[in-house]
């Protein structure tokens, strides 16, 4: 770790300076950067220069200042309301991915190196001016020798190495923060950074995006309302992606859509149906369906582009999601709670009482609300907010689903304010529930569980042998945790002391009763070798009784 810091010391200086400039000097101090980097006094004086700005605004400025890696990570983090507070999310959503294009000479060099030929041989034409430029790459229009118009995405020079350096630093900082800062350890910051890093590394591999596009196309095979551009694999590598160029009108260009005679209501309906089909039927959906990533073709067909960020609803997530929908429809708090436990990683110390109260409040928010007035995206966001408050980790794909739903609902509302998206969503939701309750699916689930239990039973003898071996060598540790153990032990002390007091009192009563009976019969005092044994015993009992009573009251556990 020290080696990494020394190797990237210049970048550490840049990060520390940016944090100081935007009022995060406390973090720099707590991470120990001040001594490690020997920061100049003038940098220390820059703390607080951004007074008046919120934490979210200052964080956004830091990310923008630190460049592409941090901008992309911020954009990915903006899809995780279960991990990040809402005010910061709203600022991260403002992060802009528009940067100046890089020189065409670098584009030529990259394409020719990757595809193994001169640009003039590979393409009939290749526009020097990019269609769009982003932090990781830029897109150029070109024409293949066959006459096919294509869009060629080319990765920025040296960006992969720069991203890897930044990710190494971020992962180092996350581990360091977990050691020094309680909140970082609580939220398992290193795991969050690892998850974000995996997403970013996937975006750097354009073959992953190409496979996403082909899988997405297979989902809509035979559906004339959705078109997916073709991938040209002979012109595609990890850093160059070539796809069919589509001409159309972006969903955000409302006036152009109207001028070309398109029905906004029809477009809204097709977008909603395509979205729910992706999510609830196929479980593989476009993670960033903003208006710039969806085109309307001349015949009204929708064409999706940019498949770098995709979401997957795995079977167990779909299962618990359907449970959540059923529980919300039935106003069942226990059902919602069970679905949350099934969907997320619930920390050991969660306050279940407060969690139940928050779920009750969420349930009441949607109680008796007409179906057409419910926002699915908002409902998922509300659920994620509850998860954040209680430190519950939710699968990243479910948070991406909530983000995508909110985006689509916003686009649909812009296209046609009268359109009720739940009219389209309800059949898909019912289908999801019916699919879960299908006899063959129930039987499959039951058989899988029986098989899992069978596997566990088969492994049990080996496990017992291992435990026995560990016990023989004294390596087996048994740890029992009880949150109210101290209270329980105190109660046991009280019960024991009261029982002891009662026994001594009973014994004394018996002795006194014996003396009274003896006295009434007129017998002389009992002497043992001329010693008054009964009287001495009575005195000793009284002394012991007094001492026991004093000890019990002194301990405060009577």
């Amino acid at each position: 770790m020290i080696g990494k810091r020394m190797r990237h010391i210049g970048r550490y200086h840049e990060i520390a300076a940016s944090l100081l400039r935007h009022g995060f000097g406390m973090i720099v101090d707590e991470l120990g950067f001040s001594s490690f980097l020997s920061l100049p006094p003038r940098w220390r004086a820059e703390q607080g220069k951004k007074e008046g700005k919120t934490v979210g605004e200052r964080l956004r400025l830091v990310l923008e200042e630190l460049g592409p890696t941090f901008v992309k990570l911020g954009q990915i983090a903006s899809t995780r309301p279960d991990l990040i507070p809402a005010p910061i999310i709203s600022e991260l959503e403002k992060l802009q991915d528009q940067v100046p294009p890089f020189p065409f000479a670098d584009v030529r060099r990259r394409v020719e190196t990757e595809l193994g030929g001169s640009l003039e041989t590979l393409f009939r034409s290749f526009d020097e001016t990019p269609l769009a430029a982003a932090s990781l790459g830029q897109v150029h229009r070109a024409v293949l020798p066959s006459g096919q118009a294509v869009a060629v995405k080319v990765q920025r020079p040296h960006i992969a190495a720069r991203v890897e350096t930044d990710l190494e630093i971020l992962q180092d900082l996350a581990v360091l923060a977990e050691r020094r800062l309680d909140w970082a350890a609580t939220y398992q910051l290193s795991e969050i950074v690892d998850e974000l890093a995996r997403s970013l590394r996937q975006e750097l591999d354009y073959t992953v995006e190409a496979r996403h596009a082909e899988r997405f196309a297979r989902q809509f095979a035979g559906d004339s309302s959705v078109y997916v551009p073709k991938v040209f694999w002979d012109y595609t590598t990890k850093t160059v992606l070539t796809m069919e160029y589509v001409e159309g009108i972006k969903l955000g260009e409302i006036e152009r859509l109207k001028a070309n005679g398109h029905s906004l209501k029809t477009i809204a309906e097709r977008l909603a149906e395509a979205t729910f089909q992706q999510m609830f039927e196929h479980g593989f959906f476009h993670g960033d369906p903003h208006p710039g990533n969806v085109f309307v073709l001349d015949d009204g067909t929708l064409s999706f582009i940019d498949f770098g960020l995709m979401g997957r609803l795995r079977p167990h997530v779909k299962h618990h999601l359907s449970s959540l929908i059923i529980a919300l429809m039935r106003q069942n708090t226990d059902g919602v709670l069970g679905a949350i436990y099934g969907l997320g990683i619930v920390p050991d110390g969660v306050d279940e009482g407060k969690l139940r109260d928050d779920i009750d409040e969420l349930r009441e928010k949607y109680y008796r609300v007409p179906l057409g007035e419910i926002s699915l995206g908002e409902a998922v966001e509300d659920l994620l907010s509850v998860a954040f408050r209680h430190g519950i980790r939710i699968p990243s794909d479910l948070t991406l689903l909530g983000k995508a739903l909110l985006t689509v609902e916003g686009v649909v509302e812009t296209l046609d304010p009268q359109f009720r998206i739940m009219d389209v969503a309800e059949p898909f939701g019912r289908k999801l529930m019916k699919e879960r309750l299908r006899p063959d699916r129930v039987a499959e689930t039951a058989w899988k569980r029986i098989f899992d239990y069978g596997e566990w039973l088969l492994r049990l003898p080996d496990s017992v042998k291992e435990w026995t071996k560990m016990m023989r060598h004294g390596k087996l540790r048994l740890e029992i945790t009880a949150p109210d153990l101290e209270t329980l032990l105190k109660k046991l002390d009280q019960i024991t002391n009261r029982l002891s007091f009662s026994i001594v009192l009973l014994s004394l009563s018996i002795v006194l009763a014996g003396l009274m009976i003896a006295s009434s019969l007129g017998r002389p005092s009992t002497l043992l070798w001329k010693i008054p044994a009964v009287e001495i015993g009575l005195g000793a009992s009284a002394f012991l009784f007094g001492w026991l009573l004093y000890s019990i009251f002194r301990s405060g556990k009577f």
Side-chain angles (χ1 to χ4, degrees):
M1 187 176 294
I2 297 296
K4 287 181 182 178
R5 292 182 193 171
M6 297 309 297
R7 188 167 67 250
H8 307 313
I9 192 166
R11 187 59 169 157
Y12 275 101
H13 266 283
E14 292 175 11
I15 294 170
S18 182
L19 289 171
L20 286 170
R21 270 194 297 274
H22 297 287
F24 292 106
M26 184 176 66
I27 294 178
V28 174
D29 289 337
E30 289 180 339
L31 291 179
F33 275 10
S34 302
S35 58
F36 167 63
L37 296 175
S38 302
L39 299 175
R42 63 182 180 83
W43 285 8
R44 306 290 304 158
E46 288 177 337
Q47 290 191 52
K49 276 191 175 180
K50 300 295 179 181
E51 288 180 2
K53 294 185 181 295
T54 65
V55 172
E57 287 175 311
R58 290 185 283 122
L59 179 60
R60 174 174 56 81
L61 291 171
V62 169
L63 297 178
E64 288 176 342
E65 193 173 279
L66 291 176
T69 306
F70 291 84
V71 168
K72 293 300 295 185
L73 286 175
Q75 290 173 337
I76 297 170
S78 71
T79 67
R80 299 305 307 270
D82 61 317
L83 302 176
I84 299 170
I88 294 180
I89 288 283
S90 64
E91 284 298 323
L92 294 181
E93 289 173 339
K94 298 175 184 177
L95 285 168
Q96 297 298 312
D97 204 18
Q98 294 296 326
V99 295
F102 56 93
F104 184 70
D106 291 329
V107 174
R108 174 185 287 274
R109 189 179 304 109
R110 169 78 74 182
V111 173
E112 292 181 345
T113 301
E114 291 291 316
L115 303 185
S118 68
L119 209 61
E120 289 73 20
T121 304
L122 294 166
F123 299 93
R124 180 184 294 183
S125 65
F126 197 105
D127 292 354
E128 293 191 15
T129 303
L131 296 169
S135 55
L136 300 184
Q138 60 192 41
V139 181
H140 291 259
R141 188 182 186 279
V143 178
L144 298 178
S146 64
Q148 173 69 56
V150 292
V152 184
K153 182 189 284 190
V154 184
Q155 198 168 105
R156 285 182 176 272
H158 315 299
I159 190 65
R162 176 73 177 270
V163 167
E164 282 301 325
T165 296
D166 285 343
L167 290 180
E168 276 190 12
I169 291 173
L170 280 170
Q171 286 164 330
D172 177 23
L173 293 180
V175 172
L176 185 63
E178 285 185 341
R179 292 175 183 168
R180 295 177 175 239
L181 307 174
D182 291 339
W183 64 266
T186 301
Y187 286 101
Q188 298 176 311
L189 188 60
S190 59
E191 289 187 17
I192 296 173
V193 171
D194 287 343
E195 186 177 319
L196 297 177
R198 280 195 298 273
S199 299
L200 185 49
R201 286 188 177 109
Q202 276 199 344
E203 286 199 48
L204 284 169
D205 186 349
Y206 289 169
T207 62
V208 173
E209 182 175 347
R211 289 194 295 272
H212 286 169
E214 290 197 329
R215 178 176 175 181
F216 195 81
R218 288 194 296 271
Q219 292 182 175
F220 291 99
D223 187 342
S224 60
S225 66
V226 175
Y227 184 78
V228 181
K230 179 184 175 182
V231 177
F232 292 89
W233 282 102
D234 290 341
Y235 294 82
T236 295
T237 68
K238 285 189 174 184
T239 58
V240 175
L241 171 62
T242 303
M243 296 185 68
E244 179 183 358
Y245 178 80
V246 293
E247 291 195 40
I249 304 172
K250 294 179 181 179
L251 283 183
E253 299 177 300
I254 303 296
E255 295 305 320
R256 280 192 64 192
L257 290 171
K258 290 179 180 178
N260 281 267
H262 292 292
S263 167
L264 299 185
K265 180 178 178 62
T266 301
I267 294 171
E269 184 176 347
R270 285 181 176 176
L271 178 62
E273 287 181 350
T275 299
F276 294 123
Q277 184 178 336
Q278 296 168 49
M279 294 176 176
F280 299 131
E281 283 193 15
H282 303 291
F284 183 72
F285 59 92
H286 199 295
D288 192 19
H290 66 75
N293 281 340
V294 186
F295 287 81
V296 180
L297 307 185
D298 290 340
D299 61 355
T301 302
L302 297 183
S303 178
F304 289 81
I305 64 168
D306 193 354
F307 302 95
L309 183 61
M310 304 296 289
R312 295 173 178 82
L313 285 185
R314 292 171 177 80
H316 83 279
V317 176
K318 288 178 69 175
H319 172 85
H320 292 299
L321 184 60
S322 63
S323 298
L324 180 64
I325 293 171
I326 294 170
L328 284 172
M329 290 177 65
R330 293 178 178 175
Q331 302 294 313
N332 183 348
T333 299
D334 289 332
V336 175
L337 191 62
I340 289 175
Y341 271 80
L343 284 168
I345 301 173
V346 181
D348 294 335
V350 69
D351 188 329
E352 192 165 319
K354 289 184 179 178
L355 177 59
R356 184 179 292 273
D357 290 342
D358 284 346
I359 292 172
D360 277 333
E361 186 178 338
L362 178 63
R363 177 179 57 81
E364 289 170 5
K365 177 179 178 179
Y366 295 101
Y367 183 63
R368 291 182 180 174
V369 176
L371 196 61
E373 296 179 12
I374 293 177
S375 163
L376 270 181
E378 185 179 345
V380 174
E381 291 282 294
D382 286 341
L383 176 65
L384 296 177
S385 296
V386 171
F388 171 78
R389 286 199 295 274
H390 296 276
I392 300 172
R393 295 282 299 276
I394 297 293
S396 58
D397 288 326
L398 186 60
T399 64
L400 190 60
L401 177 139
K403 187 78 171 179
L405 279 174
L406 276 177
T407 301
V408 169
E409 287 178 346
V411 174
V412 166
E413 185 177 348
T414 302
L415 290 168
D416 183 7
Q418 304 303 317
F419 184 77
R420 289 159 48 104
I421 196 168
M422 284 300 296
D423 290 342
V424 177
E426 186 180 6
F428 285 98
R430 294 188 184 281
K431 186 174 181 179
L432 184 65
M433 289 185 281
K434 287 179 181 177
E435 180 185 349
R436 175 187 167 182
L437 298 174
R438 268 178 20 216
D440 60 329
R441 182 59 59 85
V442 173
E444 180 185 345
T445 302
W447 175 251
K448 184 178 182 300
R449 291 192 176 182
I450 291 172
F451 181 78
D452 290 341
Y453 284 130
E455 286 285 311
W456 180 80
L457 287 172
L458 288 173
R459 290 195 301 267
L460 185 59
D462 292 333
S463 299
V464 171
K465 286 181 182 178
E466 187 67 26
W467 297 336
T468 305
K469 183 179 178 181
M470 292 172 67
M471 289 176 66
R472 193 161 46 241
H473 292 283
K475 295 181 180 179
L476 184 65
R477 294 178 59 192
L478 180 63
E479 185 175 337
I480 300 175
T481 302
D484 295 323
L485 185 60
E486 187 177 345
T487 303
L488 178 62
L489 291 174
K490 184 176 180 181
K491 202 71 178 175
L492 286 173
D493 279 345
Q494 290 176 339
I495 293 170
T496 304
N497 287 333
R498 289 179 183 179
L499 185 61
S500 302
F501 177 76
S502 300
I503 292 171
V504 172
L505 187 61
L506 177 62
S507 302
L508 187 61
S509 299
I510 292 171
V511 172
L512 288 172
L515 289 173
M516 291 173 65
I517 293 171
S519 177
S520 66
L521 293 176
R523 292 185 178 180
S525 299
T526 303
L527 294 173
L528 182 62
W529 294 296
K530 298 183 179 182
I531 298 174
V534 173
E535 287 80 355
I536 291 174
L538 179 62
S541 298
F543 173 76
L544 290 173
F545 173 72
W547 177 80
L548 178 63
L549 194 63
Y550 170 75
S551 299
I552 292 174
F553 278 108
R554 186 180 181 185
S555 68
K557 295 179 180 179
F558 183 69

